[in-house]
Amino acid sequence: MADRIDLTLTVNGADHRVSVPPFARLLDVLREDLRLTGTKEGCGEGECGACTVLLNGQVVNSCLVPAVQAQGAVVVTVEGLADGERLSSLQAAFLAHNGAQCGFCTPGMLLSATDLINRCPNPSDDQIRDGLAGNLCRCTGYAKILDAVHTAAADTGAPR
Amino acid sequence: MRGYLPDFDVHVPASLGEALDLMAQRPGIFTPLAGGTDLMVVYNAGRLKPTCFLDLSRLAELRGIEEDATSLCFGALTTFTELRECRAVHQHFPNLVKSARATGALAIQNRGTLAGNIANASPAADTPPSLLAYGAELELVSPRGLRRVAYDQFHRGYKSMDLAADELLTRILVPKPAGRGFHYFRKVGTRQAQAISKTCLAAYARIEEGCVAELRIGLGSVAPAPVRARNAEAALLGQPLASLPVAAAREALLADMSPIDDIRATAHYRSVVTRNLLGQMLRELASL
Amino acid sequence: MIGASSPRKEGRAKVLGTAIYTDDKFMPGALHGLTVRSEVPRGILRAIHFGEGIPWGEFTLVTAADIPGTNLVASVVDDQPFLIGIGEEITHSQQAVLLLAHADRHLAEKARRAVRLEIEELPAVLDIQSSLDLQPLIYGADNLLKEIRIAKGDPDPVWAQAAHVIEGEYRTGAQEQMYIEPNAMLSVVEPKNGVLQVTVWGSLQCPYYVHGALKQLFGLPEKQVRVVAMEMGGAFGGKEDYPSVNGGHAALLAWKSAKPVRLIYDREEDLACTTKRHPSRTRLRTAFAEDGTLLALEADFILDGGAYATLSPVVLSRGAVHAASVYRCPHVRIHARAVATNTPPPGAFRGFGAPQSLFAMERHMDICARKLGLDAVELRRKNFLRMGDTMATGQVIREDLDLAGLMDRALTAIGYRDKRAAFALTNPEDGPIKRGVGFSVFMHGCGFTGNGESHVASVAGVEGLADGTVAVLAASTEMGQGKNTVFAQIVAEALQLPVDLVDTAPVDTDRVPNSGPTVASRSTMMVGRILEDAAIGFKQALVQQDFLAEPYTPETFQAAVAKAVATLGSLRCYGQYHRPPGLQWNDVTYQGDAYPTYSWACYAAEVAVDLDTCEVKVADFVAVQEVGRVVNPTLAAGQIEGGVAQGIGWGLWEEVTMQRGRMINNQMTNYIIPTSVDLPRIQVIFLENAHAGGPGGAKGIGELPMDGPAPAVVNALENALGTLRLDEVPMTPDRLLERCEEVTHG
């Protein structure tokens, strides 16, 4: 049995090579090997969504992704959303609307919302609720998050 | 994370042939792995026995949805998201779209696969009732060859399947309904999204001359495995929509179920509510 | 500044993912700690067996015998041990027996499973009734953790004379806080300047609670203990008292190993062993005159307090004071008891006893209205407290209270009358969907009950920094409620500065004074008021020492602070809580001003019930509250919306399923909190009424929204379904089905 396997993956635009146990989780590779601690663990069973990242452009629960399946993949975490100091329109809207309270669900929520706006640039309340149903929040009752996503969608969709 | 990492290894075959060879050489050693949405939960909880995973996720042979005149054929790795987004699925199998939407939330739907949902053999899985309702067939492959099994013959009991240690579930074939069809799907979960089913009923009926000419009903979470409601079906088959024997069918459904009490619902709740779902389905059918 | 929706101070770090929560803090060389627990509800620990195949020599192991100081968690009553020793009594299924740590967290987990405890089991008490029946006796002389009696007038003669006497029994279940970040602690214990220094970093609401617990655990003086609050992923009371336990555990492992230790609970462990809302049983007896005037009220209020007293005495106290709710009543008798059971001790959870007793009273009022043949709105209107009225504790309402106006506002906003009329027509039709609308009227006492604030005598301050900005010095923690922002706004207002020039100092007991725990809806009102004083003192000091001349601009102020700090080395000014004149409280008789003031509210809910599945959807929700002056409307609305969501969850879905004294649905998959598709938009309406107590007239709002949703939703269920035995929450689909069948099957 191999002690470790070597993986290469692109995270937030940077290429990384890591050596990890064969059945390490993507979540642990991100948090421990790459020290990208913005991605959180809230349940370890794909229920809360705090560990949500984009894997090859799709939202996934990184606690349920064997790292071996991320070999050669492109991963985006919360740390990859801003352009340097410039917040993405969703990040700015979350800040403006108080969409982040305790902030622990926020990284996952932002990634699910980013994915939603990519797929559906002008979402209704119901579409936002559906898109974020896998990200549990215990602070907000979701209202301020819905407001933030609407605002960001309007910003993103505005004619340039 | 409660899994003990040194107890777990993984092989990543490059082709289906290689995967089958590995399984044939060391039967019973490997645990096939696709999207991981079920296995990883058990692994994280430290409740998975030491094993070597066989990562099928890179096998192109197991991907894709093929359509011909009479059926749709789903590669084992077809995800719930692919089911949700496929036009032909919307057109012919609306229950499968609803099943896929009802499975976890988006992050699960992006990773979880149709074959995984079947082979994990959870009685609470959301696509099996629909597959039962549509009369699906499974294609099982081993170095010994290929065979097809009617899906309603596949589950033999709790987590027990007609699947040999060297066999892989490669494709799911679903015949396109012909004629005037009626589709019904309802899952009752612990909440409106990201929920495990407490009961689930999917049905497909073909109507001819105002009568039920063909009917299959699939049930979830009310037996050790997904089951056909053959007694209820028998009570309804051939009956005119104008006077469906609702009470008799509800009564017959009792013999199709063997629900249990668990953390999510009582057996009583499951029994009553599943019969109510049948009632709702029959109201809709009668109003066609 | 006050009244503006300033953006959240730490919000930028939160949206960037750079905010450092406990498990995010990098500690080279740290060991991973784990806890071995009893798993049986009651018994005598006879031996600990270490299984084969584990390199035990590499492990740090801590048992009760290792504890250097006192093996009791400092709390309201010090009765809970950190660890159970050999020969001692295990009193609940999650009792910690052994701590272990290793550099390899996976091996540590394997080792945890290899430990076998030899326990001689004893009969256990697992519910309220068995505890009351002393079957068997498990705590003190009577199984009571605390007993409180509140009396006003004498109800006894009234029962026989009143036109109507109505009794009812109501139950509420345990509830999990379900903060998304599980409990987490880091610790380093090392010699510093020749003496032992214990440091704990953690996800915790009350740094000085943990500080006090560590002092007692290690037998160390104040200066040798340091507690740092990290960014916190939610708490809701769940990180009020428990961190004294796991903080102590982390420190014991760090002390024994002489290495940094991480003690990060996973969700399963967190759910199984940490505190929950107390389950309750309330029996109410009310007497009414023919016209619906409330004449007498008797409440028998019981909380299941679990295996140790922990915070139960004060949770009981708040629940008891709120039991008579918002109604004027000349004769009141409240008998409140917290009983011991062999279950993991419940603790603080948003509302702190009040949601339990208010659920009972607000359901009871609807039931009374039905039995009296009166309208639920008019019955309440007739009996509301008004200015000059006396509450059960003898507290006189001194504010111009208009509960009827509050109620009417909520009922208008949800369209109560029209919906009732419409549903009365549609519900009798065939079809499985039945609709209803209901409401609750309630209050929440702001700050600690009784003399709590005087006992704590909180201190908070402001400090000038070298760059001329101002830092808030308080041990109050940010758990998402907005403390960082609101405190900055309060200080900025007092100093007439833009809020950007004020920020919060790290919450580190080496740096900030004890402003009391971050609980009881007290931070804005109580600590905010102290900060207002401190800020004014700070400005006066700058003026008196000629650093600052009035009038000033933000620029001249900042320059003055910078100069003062450069000249003096440091500049800090503190304030301390002073009991407002006229407030009196007697801890023995429970008479007097239970709270300096109350927030008042009426919540209304519309529900749709599917009789095929007994699923309930909350279709609309209105939350109207009078909370004094709102410091930050956006943050305040967020607090209300989140609290309502939790309250709806408690009312409908959130159930802690116990088996042999152990939570068996301890996974997020099986403990059901609402997702984004399970909740309606919540209309939040603030009626402002400046109150003198808090800064700029603010009252507390944190807990209030937890109190009203459950009774409003269940009252709406009764409107939808008619007379059922709707006496309990959560009213899960299974339970609702049962209640429906009671009617159909007789």
Side-chain angles (χ1 to χ4, degrees):
Chain A
M1 195 173 282
D3 257 9
R4 323 238 352 136
I5 55 171
D6 290 329
L7 297 178
T8 54
L9 65 171
T10 305
V11 182
N12 302 330
D15 293 337
H16 294 276
R17 173 180 287 275
V18 293
S19 175
V20 299
F23 213 62
R25 305 182 300 173
L26 177 59
L27 172 63
D28 297 324
V29 171
L30 295 172
R31 285 184 55 85
E32 295 174 7
D33 295 83
L34 304 182
R35 256 188 248 153
L36 292 169
T37 55
T39 305
K40 308 300 183 196
E41 178 162 9
C43 69
E45 56 172 346
E47 192 74 15
C48 73
C51 68
T52 304
V53 300
L54 297 182
L55 177 69
N56 293 330
Q58 284 194 313
V59 295
V60 301
N61 296 309
S62 62
C63 76
L64 297 187
V65 177
V68 67
Q69 292 189 346
Q71 162 63 28
V74 175
V75 178
V76 178
T77 71
V78 67
E79 289 92 343
L81 293 180
D83 179 6
E85 285 296 292
R86 217 177 113 238
L87 301 180
S88 74
S89 47
L90 258 170
Q91 288 172 310
F94 266 62
L95 187 55
H97 286 281
N98 192 31
Q101 288 195 21
C102 85
F104 206 76
C105 75
T106 306
M109 200 66 87
L110 283 167
L111 285 153
S112 288
T114 300
D115 170 68
L116 173 71
I117 292 180
N118 286 343
R119 289 182 292 112
C120 179
N122 189 21
S124 65
D125 250 26
D126 283 350
Q127 285 170 320
I128 300 173
R129 289 179 190 280
D130 186 47
L132 301 182
N135 295 84
L136 298 178
C137 170
R138 192 57 155 168
C139 295
T140 62
Y142 304 99
K144 299 284 182 269
I145 293 171
L146 299 188
D147 293 345
V149 176
H150 281 302
T151 297
D155 287 355
T156 312
R160 287 161 233 217
Chain B
M1 228 299 278
R2 299 188 179 192
Y4 183 55
L5 264 74
D7 283 346
F8 297 90
D9 203 351
V10 59
H11 274 55
V12 188
S15 68
L16 180 59
E18 187 189 341
L20 293 170
D21 285 347
L22 280 167
M23 289 178 74
Q25 285 157 20
R26 298 162 68 193
I29 295 298
F30 292 102
T31 303
L33 170 76
T37 50
D38 286 311
L39 278 176
M40 291 297 284
V41 173
V42 193
Y43 170 68
N44 283 344
R47 285 192 275 267
L48 199 62
K49 290 198 183 104
T51 191
C52 184
F53 293 100
L54 194 64
D55 179 13
L56 307 177
S57 67
R58 291 174 192 274
L59 302 183
E61 301 97 313
L62 302 184
R63 293 211 172 272
I65 302 173
E66 286 165 24
E67 181 176 6
D68 64 23
T70 58
S71 69
L72 249 64
C73 175
F74 299 95
L77 295 177
T78 302
T79 64
F80 300 109
T81 296
E82 285 162 356
L83 285 176
R84 277 181 75 158
E85 290 176 351
C86 176
R87 210 185 149 84
V89 179
H90 279 261
Q91 192 183 340
H92 300 291
F93 307 114
N95 291 347
L96 267 181
V97 176
K98 290 180 183 171
S99 293
R101 279 181 192 279
T103 302
L106 197 60
I108 299 294
Q109 292 160 17
N110 285 338
R111 299 270 306 160
T113 65
L114 190 55
N117 210 219
I118 294 168
N120 184 55
S122 165
D126 295 320
T127 56
S130 292
L131 293 171
L132 289 169
Y134 289 131
E137 269 194 327
L138 308 183
E139 181 185 275
L140 308 173
V141 178
S142 74
R144 293 172 284 123
L146 178 153
R147 66 186 176 110
R148 284 192 179 174
V149 177
Y151 181 48
D152 61 11
Q153 302 297 312
F154 183 67
H155 294 291
R156 292 171 160 177
Y158 182 68
K159 296 264 176 185
S160 163
M161 291 165 276
D162 179 10
L163 182 71
D166 63 351
E167 271 183 324
L168 276 177
L169 167 53
T170 49
R171 302 203 292 173
I172 298 98
L173 295 95
V174 195
K176 288 183 189 171
R180 190 178 169 212
F182 166 83
H183 307 254
Y184 175 91
F185 175 88
R186 186 159 177 199
K187 164 185 173 176
V188 180
T190 48
R191 62 186 160 208
Q192 295 306 310
Q194 184 85 321
I196 295 179
S197 149
K198 300 200 286 191
T199 176
C200 178
L201 187 150
Y204 168 73
R206 187 165 50 82
I207 310 307
E208 266 178 28
E209 294 171 359
C211 290
V212 180
E214 186 184 342
L215 172 66
R216 281 182 302 271
I217 299 172
L219 304 175
S221 291
V222 293
V227 288
R228 280 274 295 274
R230 292 184 190 279
N231 292 290
E233 289 170 12
L236 293 160
L237 202 62
Q239 299 293 326
L241 300 193
S243 59
L244 289 169
V246 175
R250 287 178 64 121
E251 184 65 26
L253 192 67
L254 281 173
D256 293 317
M257 301 186 280
S258 49
I260 57 165
D261 289 337
D262 71 8
I263 291 167
R264 294 178 202 109
T266 59
H268 179 67
Y269 179 87
R270 291 184 154 105
S271 171
V272 171
V273 172
T274 311
R275 280 178 282 155
N276 289 348
L277 295 186
L278 181 70
Q280 184 188 48
M281 173 220 144
L282 294 177
R283 283 198 300 274
E284 289 183 15
L285 183 61
S287 67
L288 269 189
Chain C
M1 274 60 64
I2 288 184
S5 284
S6 303
R8 176 176 293 279
K9 280 282 180 186
E10 77 290 357
R12 196 178 157 82
K14 284 178 173 172
V15 300
L16 284 167
T18 55
I20 301 297
Y21 298 78
T22 304
D23 194 28
D24 302 338
K25 186 175 165 67
F26 183 56
M27 287 189 125
L31 305 183
H32 296 270
L34 282 172
T35 312
V36 178
R37 302 177 186 280
S38 64
E39 298 196 345
V40 302
R42 184 159 176 252
I44 307 292
L45 179 65
R46 292 299 177 201
I48 302 173
H49 298 287
F50 295 88
E52 301 280 304
I54 304 291
W56 289 109
E58 297 173 9
F59 278 78
T60 299
L61 302 171
V62 173
T63 66
D66 293 308
I67 289 176
T70 307
N71 185 14
L72 286 173
V73 183
S75 185
V76 174
V77 180
D78 292 1
D79 62 350
Q80 179 177 212
F82 281 96
L83 292 169
I84 291 292
I86 306 285
E88 292 177 346
E89 186 177 329
I90 282 160
T91 60
H92 66 85
S93 69
Q94 298 300 312
Q95 198 118 42
V97 168
L98 170 73
L99 305 170
L100 54 86
H102 194 279
D104 178 344
R105 70 175 165 125
H106 306 294
L107 184 60
E109 172 61 29
K110 188 173 179 175
R112 187 178 68 81
R113 289 160 184 243
V115 176
R116 192 175 62 80
L117 302 179
E118 195 179 317
I119 298 166
E120 180 189 330
E121 278 202 61
L122 294 172
V125 170
L126 298 176
D127 57 55
I128 286 174
Q129 193 58 50
S130 310
S131 184
L132 289 170
D133 295 342
L134 308 184
Q135 292 302 322
L137 179 69
I138 58 164
Y139 192 99
D142 50 12
N143 280 351
L144 294 188
L145 302 167
K146 176 76 177 176
E147 183 169 25
I148 293 167
R149 292 176 193 274
I150 300 174
K152 176 189 177 192
D154 181 7
D156 286 337
V158 184
W159 308 122
Q161 296 162 13
H164 305 276
V165 175
I166 299 170
E167 297 183 21
E169 179 178 305
Y170 307 90
R171 287 170 183 271
T172 65
Q175 185 185 21
E176 161 60 29
Q177 294 86 0
M178 201 62 105
Y179 30 71
I180 308 295
E181 178 206 26
N183 269 286
M185 287 287 166
L186 311 174
S187 180
V188 170
V189 179
E190 58 192 4
K192 204 170 169 183
N193 306 324
V195 295
L196 200 65
Q197 180 77 31
V198 176
T199 306
V200 163
W201 296 261
S203 186
L204 49 93
Q205 283 174 250
C206 312
Y208 278 92
Y209 278 5
V210 180
H211 191 262
L214 291 170
K215 279 194 303 180
Q216 182 164 305
L217 172 64
F218 285 92
L220 290 176
E222 202 166 302
K223 286 201 176 338
Q224 287 170 247
V225 175
R226 177 182 168 212
V227 176
V228 184
M230 303 294 290
E231 200 69 70
M232 190 166 11
F236 314 108
K239 295 166 183 174
E240 172 172 345
D241 42 324
Y242 197 81
S244 296
V245 178
N246 60 330
H249 288 167
L252 284 169
L253 282 167
W255 165 75
K256 184 96 182 273
S257 65
K259 286 186 177 150
V261 167
R262 315 177 69 84
L263 188 65
I264 315 293
Y265 285 178
D266 66 12
R267 183 63 63 181
E268 273 192 40
E269 180 171 29
D270 189 293
L271 287 176
C273 75
T274 69
T275 56
K276 309 269 180 289
R277 184 183 305 291
H278 291 69
S280 77
R281 184 189 87 186
T282 307
R283 289 181 175 156
L284 295 176
R285 189 180 193 201
T286 44
F288 292 92
E290 196 57 56
D291 69 349
T293 303
L294 179 62
L295 301 175
L297 164 69
E298 196 169 63
D300 178 34
F301 177 61
I302 303 180
L303 295 179
D304 178 345
Y308 298 106
T310 63
L311 292 177
S312 293
V314 277
V315 174
L316 186 73
S317 175
R318 184 176 286 270
V321 170
H322 285 73
S325 188
V326 292
Y327 304 104
R328 184 190 330 117
C329 185
H331 303 284
V332 182
R333 181 185 295 137
I334 296 165
H335 183 203
R337 286 168 287 177
V339 301
T341 58
N342 293 113
T343 56
F349 189 167
R350 191 181 216 166
F352 211 71
Q356 290 94 319
S357 56
L358 288 168
F359 171 75
M361 192 61 188
E362 280 307 284
R363 270 302 289 144
H364 191 68
M365 284 303 275
D366 261 37
I367 289 167
C368 290
R370 170 162 50 78
K371 290 189 172 171
L372 295 169
L374 295 172
D375 183 290
V377 176
E378 298 315 315
L379 178 68
R380 285 181 174 82
R381 192 189 305 281
K382 182 178 281 294
N383 290 295
F384 279 142
L385 288 167
R386 297 186 191 91
M387 185 154 75
D389 284 341
T390 308
M391 303 172 86
T393 62
Q395 179 162 10
V396 177
I397 303 288
R398 296 190 186 89
E399 51 191 302
D400 188 9
L401 179 60
D402 179 19
L403 287 167
L406 202 71
M407 175 175 71
D408 290 339
R409 182 73 190 271
L411 299 183
T412 304
I414 204 161
Y416 180 81
R417 294 284 177 203
D418 291 348
K419 281 179 177 165
R420 285 236 159 190
F423 300 157
L425 293 176
T426 54
N427 282 341
E429 291 172 6
D430 275 353
I433 309 296
K434 308 295 176 197
R435 297 177 190 280
V437 58
F439 67 101
S440 62
V441 187
F442 55 99
M443 84 295 203
H444 199 90
C446 302
F448 285 130
T449 310
N451 292 329
E453 291 295 342
S454 300
H455 289 315
V456 173
S458 299
V459 176
V462 294
E463 178 175 15
L465 301 180
D467 66 357
T469 62
V470 174
V472 173
L473 303 177
S476 312
T477 49
E478 176 65 55
M479 56 189 110
Q481 84 280 39
K483 175 275 304 183
N484 288 343
T485 314
V486 164
F487 280 6
Q489 286 179 266
I490 290 167
V491 170
E493 173 95 4
L495 297 175
Q496 291 300 301
L497 294 177
V499 73
D500 293 348
L501 294 184
V502 184
D503 210 341
T504 301
V507 177
D508 175 339
T509 55
D510 274 4
R511 172 109 191 257
V512 298
N514 187 359
S515 58
T518 315
V519 303
S521 312
R522 64 181 290 278
S523 296
T524 299
M525 186 170 123
M526 298 297 175
V527 184
R529 183 77 189 79
I530 299 168
L531 284 171
E532 208 174 45
D533 284 351
I536 290 163
F538 181 82
K539 182 181 73 180
Q540 285 168 348
L542 285 171
V543 171
Q544 280 161 9
Q545 296 179 57
D546 288 332
F547 292 107
L548 182 68
E550 293 187 281
Y552 55 83
T553 66
E555 292 73 26
T556 58
F557 189 93
Q558 196 174 357
V561 172
K563 192 175 170 199
V565 173
T567 311
L568 304 172
S570 70
L571 181 62
R572 298 189 196 97
C573 189
Y574 295 98
Q576 184 161 27
Y577 172 81
H578 295 290
R579 185 200 290 250
L583 284 187
Q584 290 194 358
W585 177 254
N586 185 320
D587 278 331
V588 178
T589 62
Y590 266 69
Q591 287 298 300
D593 299 300
Y595 300 94
T597 188
Y598 296 81
S599 292
W600 309 92
C602 177
Y603 285 4
E606 180 192 338
V607 299
V609 187
D610 183 341
L611 283 182
D612 278 340
T613 63
C614 289
E615 291 171 296
V616 178
K617 185 177 172 59
V618 178
D620 196 4
F621 200 97
V622 172
V624 178
Q625 47 262 305
E626 188 274 281
V627 296
R629 192 155 169 220
V630 177
V631 178
N632 184 316
T634 298
L635 294 185
Q639 280 272 81
I640 300 298
E641 288 158 350
V644 167
Q646 251 170 358
I648 291 173
W650 186 50
L652 291 175
W653 306 298
E654 296 185 30
E655 179 144 52
V656 174
T657 307
M658 302 291 283
Q659 203 173 73
R660 289 196 72 230
R662 196 166 183 280
M663 180 182 186
I664 53 167
N665 57 330
N666 57 327
Q667 287 175 276
M668 267 198 169
T669 313
N670 291 326
Y671 182 88
I672 302 304
I673 67 168
T675 70
S676 51
V677 298
D678 292 293
L679 296 167
R681 283 271 185 176
I682 295 152
Q683 296 183 55
V684 179
I685 299 169
F686 291 112
L687 303 181
E688 298 204 35
N689 173 20
H691 157 76
K699 295 181 184 176
I701 64 164
E703 295 169 285
L704 179 77
M706 186 69 225
D707 296 338
V713 165
V714 180
N715 285 341
L717 280 178
E718 178 165 318
N719 178 229
L721 300 176
T723 308
L724 301 180
R725 194 164 59 85
L726 299 171
D727 54 357
E728 185 172 358
V729 286
M731 193 46 73
T732 58
D734 279 78
R735 196 164 277 134
L736 189 55
L737 174 65
E738 232 177 74
R739 303 301 159 89
C740 290
E741 288 177 343
E742 285 176 359
V743 174
T744 51
H745 301 170

